[in-house]
Amino acid sequence: DSQHRLWVGSFNGLFVMDSSREKITEIKSINQSLLSNGQATIFTEITEDEKGNIWFATDGTDKRIACIGKFNPTNNQLQIVYNEKHQQSIHHNPVELGSMVSNGKGKIFASFNGKGIAWFNTQTNDTVPHFFTAENGLGSNRTNGLIADKNGNIWCSTSFGFSCYSEARNIFTNYNYASYALDNIAGP
């Protein structure tokens, strides 16, 4: 992270290694909160926003609830911004949370494999995910890895190729594996 710590998610919870790489600490407040609320404790992704908050996704089991959380390591405050059980109106089936990335400009993007990409506003307390899907121009709703480039564009691998979302232009450019060429350009 920006403090040179290493955040490690495992099947048993979240841990952080200090910048000297000499001490690993369990983040008990998060791990205990997830367990007590029936949420999954298998960490699939961790990223940092521009304010130093640590965002994470947990998933990987039918018996526990997938979630996306935001953790402020300065004051040890945890906020669950997406809860699979409480936000079922968004998706009626269980979600498969995947990759997460910050664009460095106030948004966290998360892969909801089979359902597209969601973004969360890091500047407000709004916890409603906003979705990009194939209907908005994303190359496929089956999304995998996400990465941000130096301009804040979000690149996403999909089942049909890869897509690049330009927030400045509010448009997706899709590259299809079959043709290895520019497939289409679509806007949300």
Side-chain angles (χ1 to χ4, degrees), residues 29-30 53-54 70-79 125:
S29 60
I30 290 178
N53 295 308
I54 303 301
K70 178 174 81 170
F71 176 67
N72 182 328
T74 304
N75 63 15
N76 211 31
Q77 183 177 359
L78 170 65
Q79 178 184 14
N125 288 327

Side-chain angles (χ1 to χ4, degrees), residues 57-75:
T58 66
D59 203 352
T61 177
D62 313 358
K63 297 176 183 160
R64 295 206 173 263
I65 302 162
C67 71
I68 294 175
K70 178 174 81 170
F71 176 67
N72 182 328
T74 304
N75 63 15

Side-chain angles (χ1 to χ4, degrees), residues 62-135:
D62 313 358
K63 297 176 183 160
R64 295 206 173 263
I65 302 162
C67 71
I68 294 175
K70 178 174 81 170
F71 176 67
N72 182 328
T74 304
N75 63 15
N76 211 31
Q77 183 177 359
L78 170 65
Q79 178 184 14
I80 300 300
V81 298
Y82 173 83
N83 177 315
E84 178 180 43
K85 182 177 181 181
H86 295 141
Q87 292 167 303
Q88 283 184 347
S89 61
I90 297 168
H91 300 294
H92 300 290
N93 300 319
V95 298
E96 182 182 329
L97 296 174
S99 187
M100 289 178 65
V101 67
S102 170
N103 70 348
K105 298 178 179 182
K107 291 183 181 172
I108 295 287
F109 292 81
S111 169
F112 279 59
N113 202 352
K115 310 216 182 345
I117 298 172
W119 64 267
F120 299 87
N121 188 332
T122 65
Q123 305 298 314
T124 68
N125 288 327
D126 176 16
T127 61
V128 176
H130 306 273
F131 280 86
F132 291 126
T133 65
E135 291 178 10

Side-chain angles (χ1 to χ4, degrees), residues 3-188:
Q3 303 297 312
H4 308 289
R5 297 170 294 201
L6 178 64
W7 293 86
V8 179
S10 74
F11 283 87
N12 297 314
L14 185 65
F15 301 82
V16 64
M17 181 182 283
D18 67 5
S19 59
S20 67
R21 303 294 188 253
E22 294 178 6
K23 182 179 177 188
I24 297 175
T25 304
E26 177 184 5
I27 309 300
K28 290 180 182 178
S29 60
I30 290 178
N31 299 340
Q32 291 170 352
S33 177
L34 295 176
L35 281 172
S36 67
N37 290 306
Q39 293 165 320
T41 56
I42 299 172
F43 283 74
T44 58
E45 279 296 319
I46 304 169
T47 193
E48 181 182 30
D49 68 20
E50 62 283 348
K51 293 181 176 181
N53 295 308
I54 303 301
W55 290 68
F56 61 85
T58 66
D59 203 352
T61 177
D62 313 358
K63 297 176 183 160
R64 295 206 173 263
I65 302 162
C67 71
I68 294 175
K70 178 174 81 170
F71 176 67
N72 182 328
T74 304
N75 63 15
N76 211 31
Q77 183 177 359
L78 170 65
Q79 178 184 14
I80 300 300
V81 298
Y82 173 83
N83 177 315
E84 178 180 43
K85 182 177 181 181
H86 295 141
Q87 292 167 303
Q88 283 184 347
S89 61
I90 297 168
H91 300 294
H92 300 290
N93 300 319
V95 298
E96 182 182 329
L97 296 174
S99 187
M100 289 178 65
V101 67
S102 170
N103 70 348
K105 298 178 179 182
K107 291 183 181 172
I108 295 287
F109 292 81
S111 169
F112 279 59
N113 202 352
K115 310 216 182 345
I117 298 172
W119 64 267
F120 299 87
N121 188 332
T122 65
Q123 305 298 314
T124 68
N125 288 327
D126 176 16
T127 61
V128 176
H130 306 273
F131 280 86
F132 291 126
T133 65
E135 291 178 10
N136 311 99
L138 182 62
S140 169
N141 287 341
R142 298 283 316 160
T143 57
N144 301 305
L146 296 173
I147 191 166
D149 65 22
K150 66 180 179 180
N151 298 317
N153 297 318
I154 302 300
W155 292 82
C156 174
S157 59
T158 74
S159 59
F160 296 122
F162 56 99
S163 298
C164 178
Y165 174 66
S166 167
E167 186 171 24
R169 295 174 45 214
N170 197 31
I171 201 165
F172 279 97
T173 302
N174 297 306
Y175 300 87
N176 185 306
Y177 287 136
S179 65
Y180 299 102
L182 182 66
D183 182 33
N184 63 24
I185 298 177

